Amino acid sequence: MGRPSIAEAATLSERILEEAVRLFFDQGFRATSVDMVADAAGVTKRTLYARYRSKAVLFEAAVSATIDMRLDALALLMPAEGDIRSRLVSVCTLLLDWLLMDRSVGMYRVVSAESRQFPALARNIHSHGARRAAGLIGDALQEGVRKGEIEIDDIGFAADYLTAAVIQYPFQQAVLGLVAARLDDATRHHIDQAVELFLAGTLPRGRRAEQP
């Protein structure tokens, strides 16, 4: 047999990552071996190592692929109608709804458990997910600036700030098992309050003076 086509190679990589995600999140990083992933994906260890030189690299690729796949899907759902407040609430709700799924919470717990042994790996995964999430919020902020609804000098900083304000507390509570991992009324209220407070500082200067 000849070498696989580009499409076949991509399909093979997707299958490897799909099985890696399932095993890492079901069994944990330490209990999952490269042999287990190769067997589940129906490939040899040599084939797997040709793509991912270590278990840590495979883990990072699997988590990053999961983040990308979900956020790519969420990007298609980003609201285009409504005012800046309703658009931001919608974006933040979509993001937090995804993060509060059992699989997302489990993924973060596995990453956190390995952060001491693989600090660079944890940093890479965290920054990748945070950057992608903040990018979606940044797009909404950029649109608000373009329409004259808000005034922001540094979109990147503002997006990071709002991402942290909306997501960090409820997500950390879920990761620690202090609350159920779901988007409930209290979480929706948290989103509304965070967005309201953020917008109070970003309204155009003339409109701020009009506020009671």
Side-chain angles (χ1 to χ4, degrees):
M1 294 179 61
R3 297 182 63 182
S5 66
I6 294 176
E8 289 171 337
T11 299
L12 181 58
S13 293
E14 289 174 4
R15 188 164 76 244
I16 292 171
L17 292 179
E18 182 179 331
E19 293 299 334
V21 166
R22 181 180 64 80
L23 287 167
F24 281 132
F25 298 156
D26 289 348
Q27 307 293 332
F29 180 84
R30 294 171 188 263
T32 299
S33 68
V34 171
D35 285 327
M36 291 168 63
V37 176
D39 288 344
V43 301
T44 64
K45 284 178 62 177
R46 181 175 179 178
T47 296
L48 193 151
Y49 276 124
R51 288 166 170 76
Y52 312 101
R53 65 179 183 274
S54 68
K55 187 169 79 166
V57 170
L58 174 61
F59 180 64
E60 181 175 350
V63 174
S64 296
T66 300
I67 291 170
D68 284 337
M69 181 176 65
R70 186 54 184 163
L71 291 184
D72 285 346
L74 289 182
L76 299 176
L77 302 175
M78 292 297 104
E81 305 298 328
D83 60 15
I84 182 62
R85 184 188 182 283
S86 66
R87 295 198 307 274
L88 283 177
V89 168
S90 294
V91 172
C92 293
T93 300
L94 285 169
L95 284 170
L96 202 47
D97 188 36
W98 165 59
L99 283 169
L100 291 178
M101 294 172 60
D102 287 341
R103 175 55 61 90
S104 300
V105 171
M107 176 176 66
Y108 191 85
R109 286 172 176 160
V110 174
V111 172
S112 297
E114 302 307 322
S115 61
R116 173 171 287 186
Q117 184 174 0
F118 302 105
L121 171 66
R123 282 196 303 270
N124 290 345
I125 291 174
H126 175 75
S127 63
H128 179 73
R131 185 171 62 250
R132 286 293 313 271
L136 293 178
I137 291 179
D139 290 343
L141 295 179
Q142 188 69 60
E143 181 69 4
V145 170
R146 187 187 68 79
K147 291 182 175 180
E149 297 172 294
I150 51 177
E151 291 181 351
I152 297 175
D153 294 327
D154 189 335
I155 295 291
F157 175 82
D160 288 342
Y161 185 88
L162 184 55
T163 301
V166 170
I167 290 173
Q168 185 170 342
Y169 179 74
F171 184 57
Q172 288 293 340
Q173 292 281 96
V175 168
L176 293 173
L178 301 178
V179 297
R182 66 173 182 267
L183 189 67
D184 56 15
D185 289 343
T187 307
R188 292 181 186 279
H189 180 68
H190 171 85
I191 294 172
D192 287 339
Q193 292 291 94
V195 169
E196 198 71 42
L197 184 61
F198 176 84
L199 289 177
T202 59
L203 289 172
R205 288 168 178 78
R207 290 178 59 188
R208 287 182 217 173
E210 298 169 3
Q211 298 296 307

